């Protein structure tokens, strides 16, 4: 038996709660992992609170992130005792995820946990930090260097945003953080933000083109916010989009793209190919300040997950939430 958060949907309704589960119920997979830490991401919050159609099969163990040690393996790349991490691949949506003490997975979904990181640090980074690093890598690939100008980060007090601010400032970029929480100003400055702007100036319909300001952007919000970021991008600016906190719509004009040559780059962390994943984790070890990572991190136990998910969806959680699945 092992403990896990289980989401059920039946005639009695939709519910998520902590359960004791028999290992015979574990799904198919060629690697069994003893989970040390998982995380609570925005997608997990949507799944647990039923505020978005995340879960595709029931019952489901949520948790899109896993860090732990291989207990059993039939996969050629892994053996008992190996330290591994997992991000995405539909785990927590169509396959039982990491908010559990045991997980059975496909070995092809795993990557080795870098020697320089503890499982706790790896989950403090998690999908949010790994996604932020993919955004930084995309900006670099498209020629956005620190000398090109300011980088705007929306949703800056959240998991992706916090890590993006820390990464970009550490790499020498001038970072402008957008947040709807004025009480997080000091926190964002500690992470390296040079300026903090109120999200209200971005979240309403704007002009097709605004004054040129951003050399690059990391947007986790979508909708009007993403449209306004694109409208204010500099000539040949680069905007990375990786989230939908405000909405899935994009009420934008083609003007930034055809008049200023702005590039809008989609960032997908779920199905990202293995070589890019390995590069992102290598870069995170090198480029993310451990002290800033600790400042981003909040730790809870499995017993706290459901209540914390409600707070997360209400916008009352900052930074990263990691889950010690053994408490």
């Amino acid at each position: 038996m092992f403990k896990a958060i289980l989401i059920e949907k039946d005639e009695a309704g939709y519910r998520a709660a902590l359960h004791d589960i028999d290992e015979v119920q574990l799904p198919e997979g060629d690697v069994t992992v003893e989970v040390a830490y998982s995380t609570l991401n925005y997608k997990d919050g949507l799944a647990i609170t039923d505020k978005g159609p995340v879960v595709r099969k029931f019952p489901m163990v949520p948790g899109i992130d896993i860090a732990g040690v291989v207990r059993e393996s039939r996969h050629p790349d892994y053996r008992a005792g190996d330290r591994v991490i997992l991000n995405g691949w539909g785990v927590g949506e169509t396959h039982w995820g990491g908010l559990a003490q045991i997980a059975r997975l496909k070995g092809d979904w795993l990557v080795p946990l870098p020697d320089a990181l503890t499982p706790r640090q790896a989950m403090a980074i998690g999908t949010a930090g790994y996604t932020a690093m993919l955004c930084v890598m995309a900006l670099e690939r498209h020629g956005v260097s620190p000398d090109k100008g300011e980088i705007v980060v929306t949703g800056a007090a959240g998991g992706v945003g916090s890590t993006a601010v820390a990464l970009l400032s550490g790499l020498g970029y001038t970072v402008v953080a957008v947040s709807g929480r004025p009480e997080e100003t000091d926190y964002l400055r500690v992470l390296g933000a040079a300026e903090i702007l109120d999200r209200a100036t971005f979240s309403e319909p704007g002009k097709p083109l605004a004054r040129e300001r951003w050399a690059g952007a990391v947007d986790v919000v979508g909708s009007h916010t993403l449209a306004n970021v694109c409208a204010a991008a500099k000539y040949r600016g680069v905007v990375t989009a990786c989230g939908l906190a405000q909405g899935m719509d994009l009420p934008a004009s083609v003007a930034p793209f055809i008049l200023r040559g702005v590039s809008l780059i989609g960032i997908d962390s779920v199905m990202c190919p293995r070589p890019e994943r390995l590069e992102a984790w290598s870069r995170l070890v090198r480029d993310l300040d451990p002290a800033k990572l600790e400042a981003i991190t909040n730790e809870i136990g499995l017993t706290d997950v459901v209540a914390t998910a409600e707070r997360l969806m209400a916008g009352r959680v900052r930074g990263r939430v990691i889950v010690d699945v053994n408490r």
Side-chain angles (χ1 to χ4, degrees):
M1 302 292 288
F2 65 95
K3 293 187 180 299
I5 302 295
L6 192 70
I7 299 174
E8 298 173 282
K9 183 180 181 181
D10 51 31
E11 295 80 6
Y14 189 106
R15 59 201 179 276
L18 182 63
H19 285 263
D20 289 310
I21 299 176
D22 194 312
E23 288 191 30
V24 299
Q25 295 179 254
L26 285 166
E28 292 289 321
D30 52 12
V31 179
T32 302
V33 175
E34 294 179 353
V35 182
Y37 284 90
S38 186
T39 66
L40 191 63
N41 295 280
Y42 187 78
K43 184 180 284 187
D44 301 317
L46 288 172
I48 291 167
T49 62
D50 192 25
K51 287 187 168 63
V54 171
V55 179
R56 309 296 182 185
K57 295 171 64 176
F58 296 91
M60 178 57 59
V61 174
I64 65 174
D65 286 329
I66 293 171
V69 176
V70 173
R71 188 174 76 183
E72 300 172 358
S73 174
R74 290 180 285 106
H75 191 280
D77 292 345
Y78 300 101
R79 60 185 181 181
D82 286 348
R83 304 190 321 153
V84 293
I85 49 180
L86 179 145
N87 312 103
W89 295 116
V91 169
E93 301 173 66
T94 60
H95 189 97
W96 282 18
L99 288 169
Q101 293 172 323
I102 302 290
R104 184 167 293 143
L105 310 154
K106 291 185 179 181
D108 289 345
W109 297 341
L110 303 172
V111 296
L113 173 62
D115 291 340
L117 296 176
T118 66
R120 185 182 188 279
Q121 288 173 319
M123 290 296 92
I125 295 169
T127 286
Y130 148 67
T131 301
M133 189 73 246
L134 292 176
C135 292
V136 172
M137 289 161 54
L139 291 173
E140 292 173 341
R141 277 198 309 272
H142 288 81
V144 182
S145 52
D147 61 298
K148 295 294 176 63
E150 295 173 311
I151 309 295
V152 65
V153 177
T154 65
V160 176
S162 293
T163 314
V165 171
L167 281 167
L168 288 162
S169 63
L171 290 166
Y173 292 87
T174 301
V175 182
V176 177
V178 178
S179 176
R181 295 184 257 173
E183 68 274 14
E184 303 295 5
T185 295
D186 290 343
Y187 163 76
L188 291 168
R189 291 201 181 278
V190 167
L191 295 183
E195 184 179 355
I196 293 90
L197 298 179
D198 189 338
R199 73 179 175 201
T201 62
F202 290 78
S203 58
E204 299 298 328
K207 298 178 180 178
L209 279 178
R211 179 177 65 86
E212 293 183 51
R213 180 165 184 184
W214 317 120
V218 175
D219 177 68
V220 305
V221 179
S223 193
H224 291 293
T225 297
L226 177 55
N228 287 323
V229 166
C230 291
K234 285 183 166 184
Y235 182 74
R236 295 236 166 162
V238 179
V239 178
T240 60
C242 63
L244 44 67
Q246 188 179 7
M248 291 186 67
D249 60 324
L250 181 56
S253 162
V254 298
F257 311 111
I258 64 174
L259 298 179
R260 292 184 183 163
V262 171
S263 296
L264 178 58
I265 310 298
I267 303 298
D268 166 50
S269 62
V270 176
M271 306 301 289
C272 182
R274 180 180 174 85
E276 199 166 340
R277 289 173 181 265
L278 293 172
E279 181 185 355
W281 279 100
S282 176
R283 287 287 304 276
L284 284 158
V285 170
R286 189 185 81 191
D287 295 333
L288 184 56
D289 182 343
K292 290 184 178 180
L293 178 61
E294 187 59 33
I296 291 169
T297 304
N298 307 280
E299 182 176 327
I300 63 172
L302 270 181
T303 54
D304 307 311
V305 164
V306 174
T308 306
E310 295 284 355
R311 292 178 54 239
L312 177 66
M313 300 313 298
R316 300 202 307 273
V317 174
R318 77 177 184 194
R320 298 284 296 128
V321 178
I322 61 172
V323 182
D324 181 346
V325 300
N326 295 303
R327 73 171 179 89

